[in-house]
Amino acid sequence: SSGINAEYGGRIAERNMGRDNRVVGDHGRDCVAPYLDEEFVSFVSSLPVQYKVDFTKERGVGEKLILRKLAAKLGLTSCSTLPKRAIQFGSRIAKLESRREKGGDKCPRLATA
């Protein structure tokens, strides 16, 4: 469990948020990630794993249980069963990025002289 928490809490900002911010910013928008808020991450990390995931259930049902139940309760039933997908795969942006670039790198294409 501590390995999983270290992965999500530590590397995600370096690895993914730099890239995502560049992509979203290129379209004149700000990237907002409320589920990466330190207090939220700390709270969710303190919950028992059975509240967060049930691997006996199929994809699109067994992971992100709390968010899926909330979405269903709010009437968002169609999206409450969609498989989770990271922004770079949902948008297909990962295929356009240079394999040498890392999420935390400053983008040379956006650098000002």
Side-chain angles (χ1 to χ4, degrees), residues 94-109:
K95 293 181 180 181
L96 301 176
E97 287 262 317
S98 165
R99 298 288 181 215
R100 293 181 306 244
E101 289 180 33
K102 303 296 180 213
D105 294 348
K106 291 188 190 264
C107 182
R109 295 178 306 281

Side-chain angles (χ1 to χ4, degrees), residues 4 8 11 21 27 31 34 36 38 45-46 51 56 59 66 83 85 87 92 98 101-103 105 113:
I4 292 172
Y8 287 113
R11 292 183 54 217
N21 283 332
H27 294 281
C31 188
L36 295 180
E38 289 181 21
S45 295
S46 73
Y51 291 151
T56 65
R59 187 169 182 241
I66 297 170
R85 181 179 285 174
I87 187 173
R92 309 291 188 240
S98 165
E101 289 180 33
K102 303 296 180 213
D105 294 348

Side-chain angles (χ1 to χ4, degrees), residues 7-9 18 29 35 53 59 66-67 82 91 99 109:
E7 171 67 18
Y8 287 113
R29 299 289 187 251
Y35 299 122
V53 66
R59 187 169 182 241
I66 297 170
L67 294 176
L82 292 173
S91 67
R99 298 288 181 215
R109 295 178 306 281

Side-chain angles (χ1 to χ4, degrees), residues 48-68:
V49 72
Q50 65 267 21
Y51 291 151
K52 298 181 271 190
V53 66
D54 182 350
F55 290 117
T56 65
K57 296 184 178 182
E58 65 186 71
R59 187 169 182 241
V61 177
E63 72 281 316
K64 299 190 179 227
L65 290 176
I66 297 170
L67 294 176
R68 293 182 187 287

